[in-house]
Amino acid sequence: MGSQGKFSDAAFKMPWIIVILALPVLGLSLYFLLGYPGLTRKMQRRYARAHREVAEKYRSPCSSFMSLGYCILRLFAPLM
């Protein structure tokens, strides 16, 4: 048999290489999904605050019901 054995075949090594390379990715994914829950709540609050700030800064004048008629007239004015 010599130095060539049953376990030197590439088809035998490839699944182990894939498992070894996938473990860090799987571990990080599970940590972020199931790990420290406070991080998720903190991020949710941060995103909600950022969303409110952006919504206030870029609020359209057509966002209120009172100015709806004005916005419709402005939209169709070029067609008249």
Side-chain angles (χ1 to χ4, degrees):
M1 213 184 304
S3 66
Q4 295 291 335
K6 172 180 155 183
F7 299 116
S8 66
D9 188 16
F12 179 78
K13 294 177 183 177
M14 199 57 150
W16 284 107
I17 292 172
I18 292 171
V19 167
I20 290 170
L21 290 176
L23 282 177
V25 175
L26 180 65
L28 280 174
S29 301
L30 287 174
Y31 173 75
F32 284 120
L33 288 174
L34 306 173
Y36 184 64
L39 180 66
T40 305
R41 289 187 203 110
K42 183 178 178 181
M43 288 176 64
Q44 286 176 348
R45 285 193 302 266
R46 186 184 310 163
Y47 288 139
R49 189 183 76 222
H51 178 71
R52 281 193 308 271
E53 290 174 2
V54 169
E56 289 174 8
K57 185 175 182 178
Y58 297 106
R59 188 171 60 96
S60 170
C62 298
S63 62
S64 69
F65 182 73
M66 296 297 287
S67 61
L68 184 60
Y70 168 75
C71 292
I72 290 173
L73 286 176
R74 228 177 63 186
L75 179 67
F76 290 107
L79 301 175
M80 293 180 186

